[in-house]
Amino acid sequence: MYLLTSSVGRKQLMAVTGLLLVGFITVHLLGNLSIFAGSEAINIYAEKLKSLGPVVWIFRLVMLVLFLVHITFGIQLTLENSAASPETYAIKQRTKTTFAAESMIYTGLIILAFLFYHLLHFTFHLVQTDAVDAVHTLVNGRPDVFSMVAKSFNSAFVSIVYIISMAALFLHLSHGLQSLVQTFGFNNGTSQDKVIGIGKLVAIFYGLAYIAIPLAFLFHIVKI
Amino acid sequence: MNLTLHVWRQKGPKAKGKLETYQATNVSEDESFLEMLDEVNEELIKAGKDPIAFDHDCREGICGMCSQVINGKPHGGQERTTVCQLHMRSFADGDEIFIEPWRAKAFPVQKDLIADRSTLETIMQAGGFTSCHTGGVPDGNALLVPKPVADYAMDAAECIGCGACVAGCPNSSAMLYTSAKVAQLAVLPQGKGEAKARVKSMTDALLDEGFGNCTNHYECQDACPKGINVKFIAKLNREYIKSLV
Ligand code: HEM
Ligand code: FES
Protein backbone atom coordinates (compact mmCIF):
# COMPACT_ATOMS: atom_id res chain seq x y z
CA MET A 1 0.00 0.00 0.00
CA TYR A 2 1.41 3.34 -1.10
CA LEU A 3 0.71 5.19 2.17
CA LEU A 4 2.84 2.78 4.17
CA THR A 5 6.00 3.34 2.17
CA SER A 6 5.64 7.08 1.63
CA SER A 7 7.29 9.51 4.01
CA VAL A 8 4.36 11.92 4.09
CA GLY A 9 1.84 9.06 3.99
CA ARG A 10 3.25 7.58 7.17
CA LYS A 11 3.35 11.05 8.68
CA GLN A 12 -0.37 11.33 7.99
CA LEU A 13 -1.00 7.92 9.55
CA MET A 14 0.97 8.95 12.65
CA ALA A 15 -1.13 12.07 12.88
CA VAL A 16 -4.49 10.34 12.33
CA THR A 17 -3.73 7.65 14.90
CA GLY A 18 -2.26 10.31 17.22
CA LEU A 19 -5.44 12.36 16.94
CA LEU A 20 -7.65 9.34 17.65
CA LEU A 21 -5.46 8.46 20.63
CA VAL A 22 -5.94 12.03 21.86
CA GLY A 23 -9.68 11.40 21.47
CA PHE A 24 -9.27 8.32 23.63
CA ILE A 25 -7.33 10.05 26.38
CA THR A 26 -9.98 12.79 26.41
CA VAL A 27 -12.86 10.38 26.96
CA HIS A 28 -10.81 8.37 29.43
CA LEU A 29 -9.93 11.51 31.39
CA LEU A 30 -13.56 12.63 31.59
CA GLY A 31 -14.51 9.20 32.95
CA ASN A 32 -11.64 9.19 35.42
CA LEU A 33 -12.43 12.65 36.74
CA SER A 34 -15.76 11.27 37.97
CA ILE A 35 -13.65 10.04 40.90
CA PHE A 36 -13.84 13.61 42.25
CA ALA A 37 -17.63 13.33 42.26
CA GLY A 38 -17.53 10.76 45.03
CA SER A 39 -17.14 7.01 45.28
CA GLU A 40 -20.59 6.27 43.90
CA ALA A 41 -20.02 8.17 40.65
CA ILE A 42 -16.97 6.25 39.47
CA ASN A 43 -18.48 2.92 40.50
CA ILE A 44 -21.55 3.65 38.41
CA TYR A 45 -19.36 4.77 35.51
CA ALA A 46 -17.25 1.60 35.72
CA GLU A 47 -20.33 -0.62 35.86
CA LYS A 48 -21.85 1.17 32.84
CA LEU A 49 -18.67 0.59 30.86
CA LYS A 50 -18.58 -3.12 31.74
CA SER A 51 -22.25 -3.55 30.81
CA LEU A 52 -21.58 -2.41 27.24
CA GLY A 53 -20.18 -5.90 26.57
CA PRO A 54 -19.28 -6.40 22.90
CA VAL A 55 -18.99 -2.65 22.35
CA VAL A 56 -16.14 -2.61 24.84
CA TRP A 57 -14.39 -5.33 22.89
CA ILE A 58 -14.78 -3.56 19.57
CA PHE A 59 -13.40 -0.46 21.26
CA ARG A 60 -10.42 -2.38 22.63
CA LEU A 61 -9.70 -3.85 19.20
CA VAL A 62 -9.74 -0.40 17.62
CA MET A 63 -7.41 0.87 20.34
CA LEU A 64 -5.04 -2.02 19.72
CA VAL A 65 -4.90 -1.23 16.00
CA LEU A 66 -4.36 2.49 16.68
CA PHE A 67 -1.51 1.77 19.07
CA LEU A 68 0.08 -0.78 16.75
CA VAL A 69 0.03 1.58 13.77
CA HIS A 70 1.23 4.56 15.80
CA ILE A 71 4.02 2.62 17.51
CA THR A 72 5.20 0.74 14.41
CA PHE A 73 5.56 3.90 12.35
CA GLY A 74 6.91 5.83 15.33
CA ILE A 75 9.74 3.34 15.71
CA GLN A 76 10.38 3.09 11.95
CA LEU A 77 10.41 6.88 11.68
CA THR A 78 12.91 7.21 14.49
CA LEU A 79 15.21 4.51 13.06
CA GLU A 80 15.11 5.98 9.54
CA ASN A 81 15.78 9.46 10.85
CA SER A 82 18.78 8.47 12.89
CA ALA A 83 20.13 6.50 9.92
CA ALA A 84 19.77 9.65 7.81
CA SER A 85 21.88 11.69 10.21
CA PRO A 86 24.74 9.39 11.20
CA GLU A 87 27.34 12.02 12.09
CA THR A 88 26.77 14.79 14.55
CA TYR A 89 28.33 18.21 14.68
CA ALA A 90 31.10 19.04 17.13
CA ILE A 91 29.04 22.06 18.08
CA LYS A 92 25.29 21.80 17.78
CA GLN A 93 23.05 24.81 18.08
CA ARG A 94 19.33 24.18 18.07
CA THR A 95 17.09 27.20 18.12
CA LYS A 96 13.59 26.01 17.30
CA THR A 97 13.09 22.46 18.41
CA THR A 98 12.19 21.48 21.94
CA PHE A 99 13.16 18.80 24.43
CA ALA A 100 9.68 17.36 23.92
CA ALA A 101 10.16 17.14 20.15
CA GLU A 102 13.54 15.47 20.45
CA SER A 103 12.31 12.90 22.96
CA MET A 104 9.07 11.78 21.22
CA ILE A 105 10.25 8.18 20.91
CA TYR A 106 11.29 8.02 24.57
CA THR A 107 8.12 9.59 25.94
CA GLY A 108 6.18 7.32 23.57
CA LEU A 109 7.95 4.22 24.89
CA ILE A 110 7.31 5.34 28.49
CA ILE A 111 3.62 5.64 27.62
CA LEU A 112 3.74 2.14 26.10
CA ALA A 113 5.39 0.65 29.19
CA PHE A 114 2.86 2.45 31.33
CA LEU A 115 0.03 1.06 29.22
CA PHE A 116 1.12 -2.50 30.07
CA TYR A 117 1.47 -1.65 33.74
CA HIS A 118 -1.88 0.14 33.82
CA LEU A 119 -3.68 -2.79 32.19
CA LEU A 120 -2.07 -5.32 34.56
CA HIS A 121 -2.99 -3.02 37.43
CA PHE A 122 -6.58 -1.82 36.96
CA THR A 123 -7.84 -4.14 34.20
CA PHE A 124 -6.34 -7.53 35.08
CA HIS A 125 -5.75 -6.80 38.79
CA LEU A 126 -2.40 -8.61 38.74
CA VAL A 127 -0.12 -6.05 40.37
CA GLN A 128 -0.45 -4.51 43.82
CA THR A 129 -3.02 -7.18 44.66
CA ASP A 130 -3.51 -6.06 48.26
CA ALA A 131 -5.02 -2.79 47.04
CA VAL A 132 -6.77 -3.89 43.83
CA ASP A 133 -8.56 -6.78 45.58
CA ALA A 134 -10.97 -4.14 46.86
CA VAL A 135 -12.66 -4.32 43.47
CA HIS A 136 -14.03 -7.77 44.35
CA THR A 137 -16.11 -6.27 47.16
CA LEU A 138 -19.54 -5.04 46.16
CA VAL A 139 -20.77 -1.64 47.36
CA ASN A 140 -24.46 -0.99 46.63
CA GLY A 141 -24.27 -4.03 44.36
CA ARG A 142 -21.42 -2.65 42.29
CA PRO A 143 -17.69 -3.53 42.23
CA ASP A 144 -15.88 -1.04 44.44
CA VAL A 145 -13.65 0.58 41.81
CA PHE A 146 -13.30 3.69 43.93
CA SER A 147 -11.61 1.86 46.82
CA MET A 148 -9.37 -0.03 44.41
CA VAL A 149 -8.09 3.25 42.97
CA ALA A 150 -7.94 5.01 46.33
CA LYS A 151 -5.96 2.26 48.04
CA SER A 152 -3.61 1.94 45.06
CA PHE A 153 -2.70 5.59 45.08
CA ASN A 154 -2.06 5.60 48.81
CA SER A 155 1.16 3.87 47.83
CA ALA A 156 3.80 6.47 47.02
CA PHE A 157 5.52 4.08 44.58
CA VAL A 158 2.40 3.45 42.52
CA SER A 159 1.50 7.15 42.53
CA ILE A 160 4.96 8.09 41.33
CA VAL A 161 4.77 5.54 38.50
CA TYR A 162 1.53 7.15 37.36
CA ILE A 163 2.80 10.70 37.81
CA ILE A 164 5.98 10.08 35.81
CA SER A 165 4.01 8.39 33.04
CA MET A 166 1.54 11.25 32.83
CA ALA A 167 4.44 13.70 32.73
CA ALA A 168 5.68 11.74 29.71
CA LEU A 169 2.22 12.01 28.17
CA PHE A 170 2.33 15.77 28.76
CA LEU A 171 5.68 16.04 26.96
CA HIS A 172 4.46 13.82 24.11
CA LEU A 173 1.39 16.00 23.64
CA SER A 174 3.21 19.29 24.01
CA HIS A 175 5.02 18.52 20.75
CA GLY A 176 2.40 16.19 19.28
CA LEU A 177 -0.64 18.45 19.35
CA GLN A 178 0.84 21.30 17.34
CA SER A 179 2.68 18.78 15.15
CA LEU A 180 -0.65 17.25 14.23
CA VAL A 181 -2.02 20.59 13.07
CA GLN A 182 1.02 21.15 10.84
CA THR A 183 0.86 17.58 9.49
CA PHE A 184 -2.77 18.08 8.46
CA GLY A 185 -1.64 21.21 6.65
CA PHE A 186 -3.22 23.92 8.78
CA ASN A 187 -0.55 26.62 8.86
CA ASN A 188 -0.83 29.86 6.93
CA GLY A 189 2.47 31.21 8.25
CA THR A 190 0.96 33.46 10.90
CA SER A 191 -1.17 30.91 12.75
CA GLN A 192 1.67 28.66 13.79
CA ASP A 193 2.95 30.49 16.87
CA LYS A 194 -0.58 30.53 18.27
CA VAL A 195 -1.08 26.84 17.50
CA ILE A 196 2.20 25.99 19.25
CA GLY A 197 1.15 28.01 22.31
CA ILE A 198 -2.34 26.53 22.47
CA GLY A 199 -0.93 23.02 21.96
CA LYS A 200 1.32 23.47 24.98
CA LEU A 201 -1.54 24.81 27.12
CA VAL A 202 -3.79 21.91 26.18
CA ALA A 203 -0.94 19.46 26.91
CA ILE A 204 -0.46 21.08 30.34
CA PHE A 205 -4.19 20.70 30.97
CA TYR A 206 -4.13 16.97 30.15
CA GLY A 207 -0.99 16.45 32.22
CA LEU A 208 -2.29 18.26 35.30
CA ALA A 209 -5.76 16.72 35.10
CA TYR A 210 -4.38 13.19 34.93
CA ILE A 211 -1.77 13.81 37.63
CA ALA A 212 -4.41 15.31 39.92
CA ILE A 213 -5.92 11.85 40.46
CA PRO A 214 -2.97 10.07 42.12
CA LEU A 215 -1.97 13.30 43.88
CA ALA A 216 -5.41 13.71 45.40
CA PHE A 217 -5.20 10.28 47.03
CA LEU A 218 -1.51 10.42 47.88
CA PHE A 219 -2.03 13.62 49.86
CA HIS A 220 -5.39 12.49 51.21
CA ILE A 221 -7.28 15.34 49.59
CA VAL A 222 -9.83 12.78 48.51
CA LYS A 223 -10.37 10.29 51.35
CA ILE A 224 -11.45 6.68 51.28
CA MET B 1 40.89 41.04 15.01
CA ASN B 2 42.47 37.67 15.68
CA LEU B 3 40.45 34.47 15.69
CA THR B 4 40.96 30.80 16.44
CA LEU B 5 39.36 28.53 13.87
CA HIS B 6 38.51 24.87 14.34
CA VAL B 7 38.02 23.59 10.81
CA TRP B 8 36.90 20.15 9.63
CA ARG B 9 39.66 18.65 7.48
CA GLN B 10 39.05 15.48 5.51
CA LYS B 11 41.29 14.33 2.67
CA GLY B 12 38.65 12.56 0.61
CA PRO B 13 35.20 10.93 0.62
CA LYS B 14 36.45 7.77 2.34
CA ALA B 15 39.04 9.39 4.62
CA LYS B 16 38.45 9.95 8.30
CA GLY B 17 38.27 13.64 9.07
CA LYS B 18 38.99 15.69 12.13
CA LEU B 19 38.90 19.25 13.40
CA GLU B 20 42.16 21.17 12.97
CA THR B 21 42.98 24.45 14.64
CA TYR B 22 44.18 27.52 12.72
CA GLN B 23 44.82 31.13 13.65
CA ALA B 24 43.27 33.87 11.54
CA THR B 25 45.22 37.05 12.20
CA ASN B 26 44.57 40.70 11.34
CA VAL B 27 41.06 39.97 10.12
CA SER B 28 39.21 43.09 8.99
CA GLU B 29 35.63 43.41 10.17
CA ASP B 30 34.64 44.41 6.62
CA GLU B 31 35.68 41.06 5.21
CA SER B 32 33.16 38.37 4.45
CA PHE B 33 33.55 35.01 6.10
CA LEU B 34 34.78 33.48 2.84
CA GLU B 35 37.36 36.24 2.36
CA MET B 36 38.63 35.52 5.85
CA LEU B 37 39.02 31.86 4.83
CA ASP B 38 40.75 32.93 1.58
CA GLU B 39 43.39 34.69 3.69
CA VAL B 40 43.86 31.70 5.94
CA ASN B 41 44.31 29.60 2.78
CA GLU B 42 46.94 31.98 1.39
CA GLU B 43 48.96 31.50 4.54
CA LEU B 44 48.53 27.73 4.28
CA ILE B 45 49.66 27.74 0.66
CA LYS B 46 52.70 29.88 1.53
CA ALA B 47 53.59 27.37 4.21
CA GLY B 48 53.32 24.56 1.65
CA LYS B 49 50.19 23.09 3.23
CA ASP B 50 46.94 21.96 1.68
CA PRO B 51 44.43 24.84 1.67
CA ILE B 52 40.96 24.36 3.18
CA ALA B 53 38.55 23.22 0.47
CA PHE B 54 35.16 24.92 0.55
CA ASP B 55 32.33 25.50 -1.93
CA HIS B 56 31.47 28.99 -3.19
CA ASP B 57 30.45 30.62 -6.41
CA CYS B 58 28.48 33.87 -6.62
CA ARG B 59 29.55 35.31 -3.26
CA GLU B 60 26.44 37.45 -3.32
CA GLY B 61 23.95 35.17 -1.62
CA ILE B 62 22.09 33.82 -4.64
CA CYS B 63 23.72 30.61 -5.81
CA GLY B 64 23.53 28.50 -2.68
CA MET B 65 27.00 27.03 -3.04
CA CYS B 66 28.62 28.25 0.16
CA SER B 67 27.74 25.64 2.70
CA GLN B 68 29.33 25.69 6.12
CA VAL B 69 28.01 25.01 9.58
CA ILE B 70 29.50 27.77 11.69
CA ASN B 71 29.37 27.35 15.47
CA GLY B 72 26.66 24.72 15.09
CA LYS B 73 24.39 26.72 12.78
CA PRO B 74 24.18 26.38 8.98
CA HIS B 75 25.46 29.65 7.47
CA GLY B 76 26.33 30.86 10.98
CA GLY B 77 22.78 31.46 12.12
CA GLN B 78 22.44 35.12 11.18
CA GLU B 79 18.93 35.79 9.92
CA ARG B 80 18.56 35.47 6.13
CA THR B 81 22.32 35.32 5.56
CA THR B 82 24.45 32.95 3.53
CA VAL B 83 28.07 32.28 4.55
CA CYS B 84 29.31 34.52 1.73
CA GLN B 85 27.18 37.38 3.07
CA LEU B 86 28.20 36.82 6.67
CA HIS B 87 30.63 39.55 7.67
CA MET B 88 33.42 39.40 10.18
CA ARG B 89 31.93 42.32 12.12
CA SER B 90 29.52 39.85 13.65
CA PHE B 91 32.50 38.23 15.39
CA ALA B 92 34.71 39.65 18.11
CA ASP B 93 38.47 39.62 18.64
CA GLY B 94 39.56 36.37 20.28
CA ASP B 95 36.49 34.38 19.21
CA GLU B 96 36.78 30.65 18.66
CA ILE B 97 34.90 29.56 15.55
CA PHE B 98 33.95 25.99 14.65
CA ILE B 99 33.54 25.37 10.92
CA GLU B 100 32.06 22.08 9.73
CA PRO B 101 30.56 20.76 6.49
CA TRP B 102 26.85 20.00 6.01
CA ARG B 103 26.35 16.63 7.69
CA ALA B 104 23.77 14.15 6.44
CA LYS B 105 23.85 10.68 4.98
CA ALA B 106 22.47 12.18 1.76
CA PHE B 107 25.29 14.77 1.67
CA PRO B 108 28.54 12.75 1.73
CA VAL B 109 31.59 14.91 2.43
CA GLN B 110 33.95 15.04 -0.55
CA LYS B 111 36.79 17.02 0.99
CA ASP B 112 37.05 19.30 4.03
CA LEU B 113 33.97 21.54 3.96
CA ILE B 114 32.63 20.34 0.61
CA ALA B 115 29.64 18.01 0.75
CA ASP B 116 28.03 16.48 -2.33
CA ARG B 117 24.52 17.94 -2.50
CA SER B 118 23.49 16.44 -5.84
CA THR B 119 20.78 14.43 -4.07
CA LEU B 120 18.80 17.68 -3.98
CA GLU B 121 18.94 17.70 -7.78
CA THR B 122 17.63 14.15 -7.85
CA ILE B 123 14.59 15.30 -5.85
CA MET B 124 14.13 18.20 -8.27
CA GLN B 125 14.37 15.89 -11.29
CA ALA B 126 11.85 13.52 -9.71
CA GLY B 127 9.41 16.45 -9.81
CA GLY B 128 9.28 16.02 -13.58
CA PHE B 129 8.02 18.48 -16.17
CA THR B 130 5.34 21.12 -16.26
CA SER B 131 3.07 21.20 -19.30
CA CYS B 132 3.55 24.29 -21.43
CA HIS B 133 2.78 25.64 -24.87
CA THR B 134 5.09 24.93 -27.74
CA GLY B 135 5.19 27.06 -30.83
CA GLY B 136 4.66 30.80 -30.72
CA VAL B 137 5.24 32.81 -27.58
CA PRO B 138 1.86 33.28 -25.87
CA ASP B 139 0.69 36.78 -25.02
CA GLY B 140 2.14 37.81 -21.66
CA ASN B 141 -1.25 38.84 -20.32
CA ALA B 142 -3.13 35.78 -21.47
CA LEU B 143 -2.31 33.78 -18.38
CA LEU B 144 -3.51 35.68 -15.35
CA VAL B 145 -1.86 35.02 -12.00
CA PRO B 146 -3.39 36.98 -9.11
CA LYS B 147 -0.88 39.06 -7.15
CA PRO B 148 -1.17 37.10 -3.83
CA VAL B 149 -0.58 33.85 -5.73
CA ALA B 150 2.39 35.31 -7.57
CA ASP B 151 3.82 36.58 -4.27
CA TYR B 152 3.31 33.22 -2.62
CA ALA B 153 5.05 31.42 -5.47
CA MET B 154 7.90 33.94 -5.39
CA ASP B 155 8.35 33.44 -1.64
CA ALA B 156 8.72 29.71 -2.25
CA ALA B 157 10.95 30.30 -5.28
CA GLU B 158 13.39 32.21 -3.09
CA CYS B 159 14.88 28.84 -2.16
CA ILE B 160 18.41 28.69 -3.55
CA GLY B 161 18.79 24.96 -2.93
CA CYS B 162 21.76 25.34 -0.60
CA GLY B 163 20.74 22.49 1.71
CA ALA B 164 20.93 24.44 4.98
CA CYS B 165 17.49 23.04 5.89
CA VAL B 166 18.95 19.53 5.73
CA ALA B 167 22.09 20.54 7.62
CA GLY B 168 20.04 22.07 10.42
CA CYS B 169 17.40 19.34 10.65
CA PRO B 170 17.79 16.83 13.49
CA ASN B 171 16.45 14.20 11.04
CA SER B 172 18.48 15.41 8.03
CA SER B 173 15.23 15.78 6.15
CA ALA B 174 14.99 17.83 2.98
CA MET B 175 11.30 18.50 3.49
CA LEU B 176 11.60 22.31 3.51
CA TYR B 177 13.50 22.29 0.21
CA THR B 178 11.03 19.84 -1.33
CA SER B 179 8.04 21.77 -0.02
CA ALA B 180 9.29 25.05 -1.50
CA LYS B 181 9.43 23.43 -4.93
CA VAL B 182 6.11 21.60 -4.54
CA ALA B 183 4.31 24.72 -3.24
CA GLN B 184 5.70 27.05 -5.89
CA LEU B 185 4.59 24.81 -8.75
CA ALA B 186 1.29 23.79 -7.18
CA VAL B 187 -0.13 27.32 -7.15
CA LEU B 188 0.96 28.43 -10.61
CA PRO B 189 -1.02 27.62 -13.77
CA GLN B 190 2.13 26.15 -15.33
CA GLY B 191 2.54 23.58 -12.59
CA LYS B 192 -0.99 22.75 -11.46
CA GLY B 193 -1.54 20.04 -14.05
CA GLU B 194 1.10 17.72 -12.65
CA ALA B 195 0.71 18.71 -8.98
CA LYS B 196 -0.67 15.36 -7.82
CA ALA B 197 2.08 13.27 -9.34
CA ARG B 198 4.77 15.78 -8.38
CA VAL B 199 4.21 15.81 -4.62
CA LYS B 200 4.38 12.02 -4.51
CA SER B 201 7.41 11.55 -6.73
CA MET B 202 9.41 14.28 -5.02
CA THR B 203 8.73 13.07 -1.48
CA ASP B 204 9.45 9.49 -2.55
CA ALA B 205 12.77 10.60 -4.05
CA LEU B 206 13.55 12.38 -0.77
CA LEU B 207 13.38 9.08 1.10
CA ASP B 208 15.15 7.11 -1.64
CA GLU B 209 18.09 9.52 -1.59
CA GLY B 210 18.66 8.87 2.11
CA PHE B 211 17.11 11.98 3.65
CA GLY B 212 15.10 11.62 6.85
CA ASN B 213 11.39 12.16 7.47
CA CYS B 214 10.00 15.46 8.70
CA THR B 215 8.80 15.41 12.31
CA ASN B 216 8.11 19.12 12.61
CA HIS B 217 11.12 20.35 14.56
CA TYR B 218 11.10 23.57 12.45
CA GLU B 219 14.89 23.98 12.71
CA CYS B 220 14.96 24.26 8.90
CA GLN B 221 13.13 27.57 8.89
CA ASP B 222 15.70 29.08 11.25
CA ALA B 223 18.59 27.67 9.23
CA CYS B 224 17.29 28.88 5.86
CA PRO B 225 19.23 31.89 4.53
CA LYS B 226 16.18 32.87 2.49
CA GLY B 227 13.66 32.63 5.30
CA ILE B 228 11.56 29.91 3.64
CA ASN B 229 8.65 29.36 6.03
CA VAL B 230 7.48 25.96 7.24
CA LYS B 231 4.02 26.96 6.03
CA PHE B 232 5.25 25.51 2.74
CA ILE B 233 5.65 22.12 4.43
CA ALA B 234 2.03 22.43 5.57
CA LYS B 235 1.18 23.23 1.95
CA LEU B 236 3.09 20.13 0.84
CA ASN B 237 1.07 18.11 3.37
CA ARG B 238 -2.17 19.53 1.94
CA GLU B 239 -1.01 18.80 -1.61
CA TYR B 240 -0.21 15.25 -0.53
CA ILE B 241 -3.65 14.75 1.03
CA LYS B 242 -5.24 16.18 -2.15
CA SER B 243 -3.21 13.78 -4.26
CA LEU B 244 -4.79 10.83 -2.46
CA VAL B 245 -8.36 11.77 -3.25
C1 HEM C 1 -2.03 7.80 24.49
C2 HEM C 1 -1.00 7.59 23.75
C3 HEM C 1 -0.44 8.49 22.67
C4 HEM C 1 -0.90 9.68 22.15
C5 HEM C 1 -2.14 10.45 22.57
C6 HEM C 1 0.03 10.09 21.12
C7 HEM C 1 -0.09 11.24 20.36
C8 HEM C 1 0.77 11.62 19.35
C9 HEM C 1 0.59 12.74 18.46
C10 HEM C 1 -0.60 13.68 18.48
C11 HEM C 1 1.66 12.78 17.61
C12 HEM C 1 1.92 13.79 16.49
C13 HEM C 1 1.56 13.21 15.15
C14 HEM C 1 2.04 13.99 13.95
O1 HEM C 1 1.94 15.20 13.87
O2 HEM C 1 2.50 13.37 12.99
C15 HEM C 1 2.53 11.71 17.97
C16 HEM C 1 3.74 11.42 17.35
C17 HEM C 1 4.60 10.41 17.73
N1 HEM C 1 4.36 9.43 18.68
FE1 HEM C 1 2.72 9.30 19.84
N2 HEM C 1 1.03 9.16 21.01
C18 HEM C 1 0.78 8.17 21.94
C19 HEM C 1 1.53 7.03 22.16
C20 HEM C 1 2.75 6.76 21.58
C21 HEM C 1 3.53 5.56 21.83
C22 HEM C 1 3.12 4.41 22.72
C23 HEM C 1 4.67 5.69 21.10
C24 HEM C 1 5.75 4.63 21.13
C25 HEM C 1 6.61 4.37 20.27
C26 HEM C 1 4.62 6.97 20.38
C27 HEM C 1 5.61 7.48 19.54
C28 HEM C 1 5.48 8.61 18.75
C29 HEM C 1 6.48 9.08 17.82
C30 HEM C 1 7.87 8.49 17.57
C31 HEM C 1 5.92 10.21 17.17
C32 HEM C 1 6.56 10.98 16.02
C33 HEM C 1 7.11 12.27 16.37
C34 HEM C 1 6.64 13.33 15.43
O3 HEM C 1 6.22 13.08 14.29
O4 HEM C 1 6.67 14.48 15.85
N3 HEM C 1 3.43 7.58 20.68
N4 HEM C 1 1.98 11.00 19.02
S1 FES D 1 28.53 31.76 -2.69
FE1 FES D 1 26.66 31.94 -3.75
S2 FES D 1 25.25 32.02 -2.09
FE2 FES D 1 27.13 32.10 -1.06
Side-chain angles (χ1 to χ4, degrees), chain B residues 117-168:
Chain B
R117 298 170 293 133
S118 52
T119 41
L120 290 182
E121 302 306 321
T122 313
I123 294 180
M124 198 62 206
Q125 284 160 14
F129 56 83
T130 62
S131 299
C132 61
H133 295 281
T134 57
V137 180
D139 177 52
N141 291 323
L143 206 56
L144 296 179
V145 180
K147 179 81 165 89
V149 175
D151 285 348
Y152 181 91
M154 271 310 288
D155 285 349
E158 259 198 89
C159 170
I160 53 176
C162 67
C165 46
V166 179

Side-chain angles (χ1 to χ4, degrees), chain B residues 34 56-66 82-85 160:
Chain B
L34 296 186
H56 61 102
D57 190 5
C58 71
R59 298 212 177 193
E60 55 180 20
I62 56 170
C63 75
M65 276 306 278
C66 52
T82 53
V83 178
C84 59
Q85 293 296 299
I160 53 176

Side-chain angles (χ1 to χ4, degrees), chain B residues 42-65:
Chain B
E42 273 174 32
E43 294 303 315
L44 286 174
I45 293 167
K46 270 188 219 155
K49 291 185 183 144
D50 195 19
I52 302 162
F54 60 87
D55 262 336
H56 61 102
D57 190 5
C58 71
R59 298 212 177 193
E60 55 180 20
I62 56 170
C63 75
M65 276 306 278

